[in-house]
Amino acid sequence: MTLDGKVALITGGTSGIGKATALLFAEHGAKVAITGRNAERGAAVVAACEAHGAAALFLAADLTDSAVCAPLVAKTIAHFERLEMLVNNAGITHAAGTLETTDAQYFEQVAVNVTAPFLLSREAARAIKDQGGGAIVNVASDLGLRGEKGITAYCATKGAVIQLTRAMAIDQAEDNIRVNAVCPGEIHTGMLEGAMLDRGYTVEDGLAMLRERIPIKRIGKPEEIARAILFLASDEASFCTGAILSADGGTVAR
Ligand code: NAI
């Protein structure tokens, strides 16, 4: 699999799944722009990509501000002169049921998990169409495909991302832009640890509880999701569009 010389914009690229994806894309020859809120972590990921011989760029952005989205695409193209791939990875979760979810928590999750991917995808699709084609990969969730207690707004936003993926796949099919989604299950990142603490578990007890519920009986690694994203972004997935790829150790299958 190669991404030789292609340019990718990856949101939330300074940690977890986004960081693993940036490094894997760099290893496979891509030029990588990552967005994030922490310049120090961004610089570290850029240095790690460069260590793979890849050109890399950090773009500071808080995606709760919808006005920053379109300029991220423009800045990537201004730096690398083109764009072939967008990975909408940044996401936020608040472990709260319907009655406990505050307005602020609801609107933050909608802004980061749905509005930003829509605005970034629209802007990227305009540019990618003019260049003859490319790929968008959205990081949704198993919680976009099934319900779960105590995490209502997050489930709603991830379901929306799955439908955004299908609808855009059809809209952009004739522009030679493939649009697919990955649905991770439980993956060991800062987000999962935070969700366990929010629910009143210690990290260790929370992970042990989750492990028992996963058919494969282990928590996933960020690199395992990065590989699914790489596949969907690459030409190896040339006939895949509108696909919703579960990478969840069997959680949704059950
Ligand atoms: P993470 O917390 O390491 O990464 C999330 C990224 O999104 C971070 O880099 C964070 O800075 C960024 N982000 C959050 N709010 C932002 C904002 N307002 N502006 C800009 N960036 C913002 O967690 P992880 O697990 O790597 O999450 C990546 C994606 O995977 C998310 O979309 C998440 O919903 C999804 N996912 C994660 C699962 C897991 O078990 N870890 C399961 C299913 C989906």
Side-chain angles (χ1 to χ4, degrees):
M1 229 179 296
T2 178
L3 301 177
D4 246 351
K6 289 186 178 172
V7 177
L9 172 59
I10 302 170
T11 65
T14 60
S15 64
I17 293 167
K19 176 180 171 182
T21 303
L23 296 178
L24 192 65
F25 276 36
E27 260 179 59
H28 284 77
K31 297 173 184 170
V32 180
I34 56 163
T35 80
R37 290 171 297 176
N38 182 313
E40 206 174 307
R41 288 204 314 229
V45 176
V46 165
C49 289
E50 288 171 348
H52 287 298
L57 170 71
F58 171 70
L59 296 168
D62 183 338
L63 298 178
T64 53
D65 178 3
S66 61
V68 307
C69 294
L72 288 172
V73 172
K75 286 176 190 169
T76 304
I77 294 170
H79 188 83
F80 288 124
E81 294 180 350
R82 41 190 308 117
L83 177 70
E84 279 89 10
M85 299 170 287
L86 168 66
V87 180
N88 283 307
N89 163 77
I92 186 108
T93 184
H94 294 289
T98 312
L99 305 187
E100 295 76 38
T101 300
T102 65
D103 288 8
Q105 289 173 335
Y106 172 80
F107 286 119
E108 184 184 11
Q109 288 172 100
V110 170
V112 178
N113 299 356
V114 187
T115 305
F118 177 81
L119 296 175
L120 281 154
S121 297
R122 186 178 66 185
E123 197 64 16
R126 287 176 177 148
I128 294 172
K129 178 183 176 181
D130 288 345
Q131 289 171 195
I136 296 174
V137 182
N138 294 322
V139 180
S141 172
D142 63 326
L143 293 180
L145 294 167
R146 66 184 185 89
E148 177 66 80
K149 191 168 168 54
I151 189 161
T152 317
Y154 182 77
C155 289
T157 61
K158 292 301 185 175
V161 166
I162 289 169
Q163 281 301 80
L164 172 66
T165 303
R166 292 184 174 124
M168 265 198 83
I170 295 164
D171 270 347
Q172 264 48 69
E174 290 176 28
D175 299 333
N176 196 29
I177 303 172
R178 297 180 300 98
V179 186
N180 294 290
V182 174
C183 288
E186 315 292 1
I187 308 301
H188 196 163
T189 65
M191 176 181 282
L192 191 64
E193 292 194 358
M196 290 303 100
L197 295 171
D198 282 355
R199 289 177 176 195
Y201 291 99
T202 63
V203 169
E204 201 175 281
D205 287 352
L207 295 183
M209 178 275 295
L210 291 177
R211 210 174 281 125
E212 268 318 295
R213 292 172 20 174
I214 301 168
I216 265 183
K217 295 289 180 225
R218 67 175 178 82
I219 309 286
K221 300 180 192 133
E223 294 74 17
E224 293 180 287
I225 304 306
R227 289 199 290 272
I229 295 170
L230 171 66
F231 166 67
L232 290 173
S234 77
D235 290 343
E236 298 295 311
S238 53
F239 203 52
C240 297
T241 197
I244 310 301
L245 176 60
S246 286
D248 64 3
T251 296
V252 168
R254 191 189 53 196

